[in-house]
Amino acid sequence: MKINNRQLFWMIMMLEIGINLLISMTATILYAKQDAWISYVLAGGAGLVITYVASKLSSRYPRQTLIEYSVTILGKWGGKLIVIPFILQWFWVISLILRDEFLFIRLSVLYKTPAWVVIGTMLGVVIYTVYHGGIEAIGRVSELWGPILMIILALTFALTINNLNAPMLLPVYADTGPGPIMQGALAPVSLLGESVLLMMLFPFVEHPGKGTRKAVLLGVALSSVMLLFGVLWVIMTFGPAVSGRLQFPFFEMVKLVYLMEFIQNMDIFVMAVWLVCIFVKLSIYMFITSYGVAQWTGKTGSWKKISLIVAAVSFILTMLVIILNPPAGLLLKGVWIRYVLPVNMIGIPLFLWLVSAVKANFHTDIRR
């Protein structure tokens, strides 16, 4: 199973843009108000730093996944223990993505469709792709749909220019200050930080190296730019007060597209592309969870069989999340930002990188 750098670039783009456009804007605008775009600039920079650390770490072990080189760096027990938070995160993210997909579809089109039908259908498509095509199929889908996503987003921005009101962005900084702006940046940076998934994808690239690092960094950079345009457009369309109360402000903005009495209902196209982004993201998570659990248990050759177990567990977890219905804001702030961002996206990759560098220097000194 191999993908190329171009496919990895599009995978990162679709991983970052799809869910970010929908769920991170409201939290950011609530804190930073009309200065939310500054929060996104800061989030983009922080996301690039997180990506750089993860890519440099993986570059030291280009033929190993996170599960493998953690053992190489820390030993068998230390390596297996330190990746447990990642495995838990992967299961948790799959269930939350499926929950958000269900809520979005129920709100938009299928009002009375049972949750298990929506969840089961998406999981069925994802597990079929992962089981039969693996990472190669995901890479090809991303390479095909990524440019289409960018074209539709470009058309969306172009067709909503008439609805923009630039004074909505004023005053800059005066009403907020550094605290709310920094706090508003936490939601988007925690989602841009999902680029650390490359630590599991790196060895599946045909020729992993500097080109791979550039592809991933470029993917995060362009995703940050598109998200920046997205939040600017939303604020200039609705203003910070209204935007902060909308559940899916970008999708609501697209509904306002109306040009020359025949160009309208653009939200149908955005919904279709968003569902493809969700499919790609779920497939990536399903693949790395299945492969990672297989490596962690020492049964790498049986990763496809394990993927069926992962799918079943994910379905049960998703139904529990839907039944319990915890507030999305609580999950984002109380778990994702408080624990996943500092531990899984910053702390563990940085710790592994530093230990790896120290060990490499130590061995070099011994040889001398």
Side-chain angles (χ1 to χ4, degrees):
M1 297 183 294
K2 290 294 180 182
I3 57 175
N4 56 43
N5 290 328
R6 183 175 62 255
Q7 290 170 336
L8 181 61
F9 163 79
W10 287 115
M11 287 170 66
I12 294 297
M13 284 283 290
M14 298 190 75
L15 177 78
E16 301 285 16
I17 289 179
I19 201 77
N20 248 329
L21 277 176
L22 281 183
I23 69 171
S24 71
M25 286 188 183
T26 299
T28 301
I29 294 171
L30 279 174
Y31 285 115
K33 299 178 182 177
Q34 68 270 15
D35 292 325
W37 64 273
I38 304 178
S39 298
Y40 270 84
V41 172
L42 296 176
L48 286 172
V49 173
I50 291 172
T51 306
Y52 178 77
V53 172
S55 63
K56 287 291 287 185
L57 172 61
S58 294
S59 296
R60 289 180 172 271
Y61 309 91
R63 298 300 176 186
Q64 294 182 335
T65 66
L66 168 67
I67 308 296
E68 293 173 311
Y69 63 66
S70 294
V71 173
T72 301
I73 295 171
L74 300 178
K76 181 179 179 180
W77 295 110
K80 287 198 171 186
L81 285 173
I82 203 169
V83 297
I84 289 177
F86 285 98
I87 295 174
L88 295 176
Q89 174 203 338
W90 298 336
F91 276 105
W92 185 61
V93 170
I94 291 173
S95 63
L96 289 186
I97 293 174
L98 287 169
R99 194 279 292 265
D100 287 338
E101 181 215 8
F102 164 69
L103 292 177
F104 180 73
I105 290 177
R106 186 181 65 176
L107 179 66
S108 304
V109 284
L110 305 176
Y111 306 104
K112 296 183 179 180
T113 304
W116 66 268
V117 174
V118 178
I119 303 305
T121 302
M122 179 57 84
L123 261 181
V125 176
V126 168
I127 196 62
Y128 177 84
T129 303
V130 172
Y131 190 91
H132 290 284
I135 195 66
E136 290 183 9
I138 302 171
R140 290 172 183 173
V141 170
S142 303
E143 190 177 18
L144 173 65
W145 281 94
I148 297 175
L149 166 66
M150 301 307 292
I151 291 171
I152 290 180
L153 285 179
L155 285 174
T156 300
F157 291 138
L159 294 175
T160 50
I161 285 180
N162 293 334
N163 298 328
L164 302 185
N165 184 11
M168 292 282 194
L169 297 172
L170 301 176
V172 176
Y173 191 77
D175 287 350
T176 52
I181 290 175
M182 293 290 290
Q183 199 164 8
L186 291 176
V189 75
S190 68
L191 293 170
L192 287 170
E194 286 184 287
S195 58
V196 295
L197 292 180
L198 70 92
M199 296 188 295
M200 286 296 296
L201 300 175
F202 211 85
F204 295 100
V205 179
E206 287 177 341
H207 305 289
K210 291 184 178 180
T212 306
R213 292 202 302 270
K214 289 180 180 178
V216 175
L217 288 168
L218 183 60
V220 175
L222 290 182
S223 299
S224 301
V225 171
M226 297 304 294
L227 293 171
L228 174 62
F229 276 110
V231 76
L232 282 170
W233 254 241
V234 165
I235 294 173
M236 287 191 288
T237 300
F238 298 115
V242 175
S243 301
R245 293 198 299 267
L246 296 174
Q247 187 174 8
F248 304 114
F250 187 83
F251 186 70
E252 296 297 331
M253 181 192 75
V254 177
K255 289 182 178 179
L256 300 178
V257 172
Y258 186 85
L259 185 64
M260 299 171 62
E261 297 186 358
F262 69 91
I263 298 179
Q264 52 187 310
N265 295 330
M266 280 286 292
D267 51 304
I268 300 299
F269 297 100
V270 173
M271 183 189 301
V273 175
W274 181 78
L275 288 175
V276 175
C277 288
I278 293 301
F279 164 74
V280 170
K281 186 166 186 172
L282 273 174
S283 298
I284 293 173
Y285 267 101
M286 183 65 67
F287 174 78
I288 65 171
T289 305
S290 305
Y291 206 87
V293 170
Q295 287 187 322
W296 195 82
T297 56
K299 299 179 180 179
T300 307
S302 302
W303 75 267
K304 286 188 176 182
K305 294 179 180 178
I306 291 176
S307 69
L308 300 176
I309 299 174
V310 171
V313 173
S314 299
F315 180 83
I316 295 171
L317 288 176
T318 305
M319 296 305 297
L320 286 175
V321 171
I322 291 174
I323 293 171
L324 296 175
N325 195 29
L330 176 64
L331 292 175
L332 181 65
K333 183 179 178 181
V335 180
W336 190 256
I337 293 176
R338 180 173 295 179
Y339 298 108
V340 176
L341 174 60
V343 176
N344 290 17
M345 298 179 184
I346 299 175
I348 295 178
L350 189 59
F351 173 72
L352 290 174
W353 186 27
L354 292 175
V355 174
S356 174
V358 170
K359 289 182 68 175
N361 291 333
F362 178 75
H363 290 309
T364 301
D365 291 341
I366 290 178
R367 292 191 190 99
R368 290 177 181 174

